[in-house]
Amino acid sequence: MIHALTATSFLDSASYTLVMSDEFNTPGRSFSDGGDPTWTALDRHDDDISASGEGPLHFYNSSMVGTGGGWLNVSTGRGRTEWTEFDSVEQVYKTKKKDFKSGMVNSWNKFCFTGGIVEISAVMPGSPTTAGLWPAMWLLGNLGRATYEASTNKIWPWSFDECDRELQHAQEISACNSNGHWGLIPGRGRGATEIDILEIMPGAPGPLPSTEPPIERPYGAMTLQVAPGVPGNRPKSGAPPLPGNDGHNGFAPSPPQDWYEHLNYMGNTSINPFFYGTYLAETKPGEPVHRSKLEAFQADAVGAIHQLRAVHFQKAHKYRLEWQPGNGGRIDWFVEDTQPDARGRGEHEHDFTAAPTPAPKEEEDSESEDGDGGDGKKKKKKKKEDKHATPAPTPAPSPPPRVDTAATPPGWVHAFSIVDLSLKEATRAQIPDEPSYVIFNTAVSSTWGFPYDTPATCKKCYDCSDPACACALPPGFCDTLDAGKTSMLVDYVRVYQTDEHEKHVGQKHTLGCDPLDHPTREYIKGHEYLYMRSLPFIDKDPLKPIANGGGACSADSDCGITGSCSTLSKESFWSTSDARVCRCGDAGWTGPHCRSHAAGDDEPGAFDIVLNTSWFTSRIANLYLPLPVIVAFSVVAAVFAGAFVATLQKKRLSGGVYVGLTQAEMTPRYNLRGRP
């Protein structure tokens, strides 16, 4: 697959190197837990719900995510899912149900990065004029697992590295903590910040109030969600921040509302006046997590909305995020303008077995050097780090650099930017510097595009098959699901970084989910129960080991490029079954059907370094060997060891000289009569 091995920053024209790409060209990949070394598709309901009953209407099902026709396909459809769950308030088991199923796939605890360039080419799902779907492409810090609210409670979306005794109780990992438990660095505040590359709001067209320039649906929201937030005198939802009033117009004097300065909105982009953040209050009985009144806090959504068009739902467009992490850093969002020759929806978009279809694509730099067919991640080598080194102090933030709009190439719009000084001045938060992972999902939520002014006689239900629920559903929503074009199609995702830190503002770029200066693995291992599903689902570990073959097959063609299809009796000495399964014959491919590139970190993380575990031994620990090979090796080793011991004993008895024997042992032995 031809794809770019370098990328040029749109801000400073510096050259960045490809560190990860997935082109999704191999059809039929499995993203269920244990099926892919880079991605995991969820099988669970969404914890993002409050005691008021508002929230998600979908159940995430891994079967709604797949590859076909050269796309990653994240689908949404009608379909009831029921399960039994314990009600902690009423102390009884209850049957729960969702009438929609959808897909979420992410790289949590598999592929993470801190800083760099992310570029995604994608087609948005559904109809641009029909509300109800909530597609998103976003990043989340690895300390929080998306939809697992127990893992994100008081972790999301903190990006605060100061000791503040008033905020300490609300931030789970506070800079006030002087002890470094679970491998964490003492005195360093941590969290799981959220960077929304794009969240799509479709719906009926028409100018929206309080937007400048005027924006209408569909639009894309670009947001940094961060804590702590602005504590008081905040702007009100539905209106821009008010500048204040000195009383000369007859109204009572009022101070200007507090919000972030130094924000840049460019092109057809406005401040997002509809969402300024979330107050995470003291929880009520029935909510999935607990927060006391002392632990309540404000989280802010610093965001913009950018005008999209119908073509974004028909053809692939590129979306780019340039992220320079930490103190002095910045985040910039870019959107590709309309490209008439871009890939569009095709007849194979829902076929998870179809090979890529020829389509016009732009000329790229050079060919992939790893020969992986463009699937899986490609990691750069990282410089060795001193495991005993003390992290260097971070410098004070500098004034925001001038935005060089001339560096943005033709065909792109530099839509939105946030600089670190903006956060520092408002709340003393900082641009995120957490190792973060990539998420693609489409939600269905009563809080996103659904009617909010329904009559009192309207039955609050969300079932397309029940006519009584029609008044609570967006007009045309059920028809859109039935039309079969409710898939977010991702052409590729690519991540670029640089080791030359002087080329960019902010702190250095890192690769991996467990970097030395922001470790996560030991904390996650110590709190695994927060990252696993609750009953009735039973998880032994947050993530299953990656399957290396074993998927059902009928021919070699079912087992990827290099795999083969053989019976279980040939694979296992103990099996007599004639069932046929895939065997991955090449170390470069893995997964149940050998269709995923065997990706992995090039260097050990903080946890491996602490345990003095080398890259080689970590690979040996995960090495797969068939049982017959293990048995044969054990037998040979036992025979060899027995022969060696017998030979040694024989030599010693016959007077042979061996290094390590004492002088007395080397003298001739005597028989019972005392003669040699």
Side-chain angles (χ1 to χ4, degrees):
M1 172 62 195
I2 305 296
H3 60 261
L5 297 180
T6 60
T8 301
S9 168
F10 290 171
L11 291 174
D12 53 26
S13 300
S15 180
Y16 285 50
T17 302
L18 182 72
V19 297
M20 178 271 198
S21 75
D22 204 331
E23 310 294 313
F24 305 112
N25 284 327
T26 304
R29 286 170 64 181
S30 170
F31 298 107
S32 60
D33 191 7
D36 191 89
T38 305
W39 307 100
T40 304
L42 301 191
D43 284 291
R44 62 173 279 114
H45 60 87
D46 197 327
D47 275 351
D48 185 19
I49 189 169
S50 67
S52 65
E54 299 290 340
L57 306 175
H58 58 272
F59 191 97
Y60 285 127
N61 191 310
S62 62
S63 67
M64 304 299 284
V65 182
T67 52
W71 304 101
L72 170 69
N73 186 318
V74 181
S75 300
T76 306
R78 296 168 57 175
R80 176 165 296 184
T81 304
E82 293 186 351
W83 71 98
T84 302
E85 191 174 277
F86 185 71
D87 188 318
S88 59
V89 177
E90 299 184 17
Q91 296 292 302
V92 295
Y93 282 93
K94 291 185 175 180
T95 298
K96 301 291 184 73
K97 71 178 181 70
K98 299 291 183 182
D99 289 305
F100 306 101
K101 54 184 179 179
S102 192
M104 171 184 278
V105 63
N106 63 60
S107 63
W108 177 76
N109 223 25
K110 291 182 176 180
F111 168 75
C112 306
F113 70 102
T114 310
I117 298 172
V118 189
E119 186 174 290
I120 298 168
S121 176
V123 186
M124 296 301 109
S127 165
T129 58
T130 302
L133 295 180
W134 186 352
M137 305 179 293
W138 47 302
L139 308 178
L140 186 65
N142 198 57
L143 286 174
R145 189 176 187 185
T147 77
Y148 290 72
E149 196 167 343
S151 74
T152 58
N153 186 34
K154 300 193 299 178
I155 293 287
W156 176 92
W158 284 92
S159 185
F160 190 63
D161 196 20
E162 296 184 16
C163 178
D164 186 316
R165 294 299 181 184
E166 293 185 1
L167 297 173
Q168 177 183 359
H169 299 285
Q171 186 179 13
E172 184 69 22
I173 305 174
S174 167
C176 300
N177 299 342
S178 57
N179 297 318
H181 299 302
W182 311 111
L184 302 176
I185 297 174
R188 172 162 288 178
R190 299 290 302 278
T193 36
E194 178 177 334
I195 304 175
D196 297 318
I197 301 173
L198 204 70
E199 293 180 289
I200 305 299
M201 172 67 84
L208 297 172
S210 303
T211 57
E212 180 58 40
I215 302 294
E216 62 181 353
R217 302 182 186 92
Y219 64 74
M222 307 164 177
T223 314
L224 168 64
Q225 303 207 47
V226 63
V230 173
N233 194 27
R234 299 169 54 82
K236 306 300 182 183
S237 178
L242 299 178
N245 176 36
D246 59 9
H248 74 279
N249 55 5
F251 291 93
S254 61
Q257 291 179 331
D258 295 330
W259 198 240
Y260 296 81
E261 302 290 339
H262 315 299
L263 304 177
N264 285 292
Y265 309 90
M266 291 151 282
N268 205 0
T269 308
S270 166
I271 187 174
N272 186 351
F274 309 114
F275 182 50
Y276 291 109
T278 305
Y279 183 70
L280 290 97
E282 176 184 6
T283 52
K284 301 175 183 178
E287 295 192 53
V289 297
H290 173 74
R291 249 182 336 270
S292 68
K293 186 176 182 180
L294 188 63
E295 296 168 329
F297 66 95
Q298 177 70 52
D300 280 347
V302 188
I305 54 177
H306 178 78
Q307 185 66 63
L308 300 180
R309 295 181 292 277
V311 71
H312 292 89
F313 294 74
Q314 298 161 357
K315 293 188 176 183
H317 284 68
K318 298 174 186 176
Y319 305 91
R320 172 185 277 221
L321 184 85
E322 296 202 15
W323 168 28
Q324 308 303 348
N327 281 308
R330 61 182 297 152
I331 307 175
D332 294 81
W333 285 258
F334 300 85
V335 178
E336 185 185 37
D337 204 356
T338 300
Q339 295 295 314
D341 295 330
R343 290 187 66 194
R345 294 186 176 275
E347 60 181 347
H348 297 302
E349 66 184 64
H350 295 281
D351 185 353
F352 291 173
T353 62
T357 54
K361 301 187 74 172
E362 78 281 8
E363 293 295 326
E364 302 281 3
D365 290 348
S366 57
E367 188 169 352
S368 169
E369 63 188 30
D370 55 6
D372 63 358
D375 291 307
K377 58 188 174 186
K378 173 179 174 290
K379 299 290 194 65
K380 67 179 180 180
K381 294 290 184 180
K382 297 186 291 184
K383 295 179 181 179
K384 296 287 186 180
E385 298 186 70
D386 183 359
K387 64 182 178 181
H388 301 295
T390 301
T394 52
S398 56
R402 182 179 64 86
V403 176
D404 184 8
T405 55
T408 305
W412 286 85
V413 176
H414 186 180
F416 183 43
S417 67
I418 303 173
V419 295
D420 190 53
L421 184 63
S422 177
L423 305 182
K424 285 288 192 296
E425 289 182 346
T427 64
R428 293 176 291 135
Q430 67 178 20
I431 293 292
D433 59 358
E434 290 286 338
S436 300
Y437 59 99
V438 183
I439 306 170
F440 298 105
N441 74 289
T442 299
V444 181
S445 174
S446 60
T447 62
W448 189 264
F450 272 59
Y452 59 88
D453 55 353
T454 55
T457 56
C458 179
K459 183 180 179 181
K460 282 285 186 177
C461 58
Y462 306 99
D463 183 357
C464 287
S465 61
D466 185 351
C469 302
C471 57
L473 294 165
F477 175 66
C478 297
D479 293 336
T480 298
L481 294 183
D482 293 339
K485 291 188 177 180
T486 49
S487 296
M488 176 164 58
L489 304 177
V490 181
D491 189 10
Y492 65 76
V493 54
R494 300 169 186 166
V495 179
Y496 302 84
Q497 292 184 322
T498 179
D499 283 327
E500 300 178 68
H501 311 311
E502 68 280 359
K503 287 186 175 181
H504 59 82
V505 298
Q507 307 306 303
K508 68 178 182 178
H509 300 166
T510 64
L511 198 60
C513 297
D514 191 34
L516 199 61
D517 56 352
H518 284 79
T520 69
R521 184 177 171 188
E522 189 172 348
Y523 179 87
I524 292 172
K525 287 185 71 67
H527 301 81
E528 286 187 334
Y529 62 96
L530 300 177
Y531 301 86
M532 295 191 289
R533 296 177 296 180
S534 57
L535 292 174
F537 309 101
I538 300 176
D539 294 329
K540 294 182 179 179
D541 298 290
L543 291 174
K544 295 179 180 178
I546 305 305
N548 189 23
C553 60
S554 57
D556 289 348
S557 58
D558 296 330
C559 303
I561 298 174
T562 62
S564 60
C565 184
S566 60
T567 61
L568 283 173
S569 58
K570 292 182 179 180
E571 292 295 306
S572 173
F573 177 80
W574 308 105
S575 177
T576 59
S577 173
D578 290 330
R580 298 172 66 82
V581 297
C582 287
R583 177 178 180 272
C584 301
D586 188 278
W589 296 89
T590 190
H593 293 92
C594 314
R595 291 171 177 164
S596 295
H597 183 65
D601 289 327
D602 290 334
E603 298 288 344
F607 186 72
D608 291 325
I609 292 174
V610 169
L611 293 182
N612 199 27
T613 303
S614 69
W615 180 94
F616 177 78
T617 56
S618 67
R619 291 303 188 274
I620 291 298
N622 293 322
L623 181 65
Y624 168 80
L625 290 174
L627 183 60
V629 175
I630 296 174
V631 172
F633 181 84
S634 301
V635 171
V636 171
V639 171
F640 179 83
F644 178 80
V645 171
T647 302
L648 177 62
Q649 184 68 15
K650 182 178 180 179
K651 290 290 186 182
R652 291 179 62 184
L653 291 174
S654 63
V657 179
Y658 279 86
V659 176
L661 298 179
T662 65
Q663 185 63 37
E665 289 177 311
M666 290 189 290
T667 57
R669 296 185 180 275
Y670 290 82
N671 59 25
L672 295 177
R673 296 183 179 180
R675 296 180 181 179

